[in-house]
Amino acid sequence: RLGTRLRSSLLDAEETVRLANPYFDPDQQVIDDISRLPARGVDTRILTRQVEPGTDRHDVLERMLAGLTPSGRRNLQVRELFQLDSRTGRQAYATHAKMLIVDQELCYIGSANLTVTSLSTNFELGIVLDGPEVDTATDVLDAVFDASARTTLDDGAPPGPG
């Protein structure tokens, strides 16, 4: 099961976890696993979309922050990739990728969001990589993360370019 495999990978993380995920479910156990990473000293980077009050992302991320000490808080970075077209008001671009990289040793790329439905009842497809392909995936995710906007949840910094 995908949820079990992802949770196991997070529990084994020692240095860095990179996560791209557009939707979160606050009741999903994997969210608690991610929440504990920064407190354990694991550099945790989350790329998502539309981190604004009232969204599942905001609520889940606020809950993560509430349980962290200042030293744990320094191990969590949250960025958003989302922009509306100023002329049409429609989405110009947004994070839709679902990707998890643990310690640059394992990478999951697939269709599953971190929601109950995706991890329990949907037919989802993904691949787990190891070896040199993980370096390539890490380079791509890091480039997008670095180019994405900071959020008010990203070390208390005001929103704006990375």
Side-chain angles (χ1 to χ4, degrees):
R1 297 196 46 192
L2 179 59
T4 302
R5 177 72 191 265
L6 294 179
R7 290 190 70 217
S8 176
S9 298
L10 290 167
L11 293 172
D12 291 341
E14 295 178 2
E15 296 177 17
T16 304
V17 168
R18 294 165 172 90
L19 174 67
N21 190 68
Y23 302 106
F24 295 92
D25 186 335
D27 298 324
Q28 191 60 1
Q29 287 180 320
V30 72
I31 299 301
D32 293 330
D33 299 331
I34 295 166
S35 297
R36 288 189 279 276
L37 292 169
R40 289 184 20 225
V42 177
D43 177 31
T44 306
R45 301 174 192 170
I46 299 173
L47 177 66
T48 192
R49 57 180 284 147
Q50 288 177 293
V51 182
E52 54 193 35
T55 63
D56 60 346
R57 293 156 303 278
H58 186 272
D59 296 346
V60 166
L61 294 165
E62 279 284 331
R63 191 176 84 201
M64 284 184 189
L65 288 174
L68 292 175
T69 64
S71 64
R73 179 66 191 89
R74 286 189 290 275
N75 294 321
L76 177 64
Q77 296 179 63
V78 179
R79 302 284 174 93
E80 67 179 351
L81 181 64
F82 182 80
Q83 183 69 46
L84 293 176
D85 183 295
S86 60
R87 292 180 303 116
T88 66
R90 292 184 170 176
Q91 176 180 301
Y93 57 84
T95 299
H96 190 66
K98 292 84 171 178
M99 189 176 206
L100 173 68
I101 302 171
V102 177
D103 293 335
Q104 283 187 246
E105 294 175 6
L106 175 139
C107 175
Y108 162 78
I109 301 172
S111 61
N113 290 299
L114 296 181
T115 63
V116 171
T117 303
S118 286
L119 296 177
S120 63
T121 61
N122 280 0
F123 169 70
E124 302 284 356
L125 189 60
I127 187 168
V128 176
L129 306 169
D130 59 13
E133 290 81 9
V134 177
D135 291 335
T136 302
T138 299
D139 290 345
V140 171
L141 186 53
D142 283 351
V144 174
F145 187 87
D146 291 344
S148 296
R150 292 182 184 270
T151 69
T152 55
L153 303 175
D154 187 23
D155 202 25

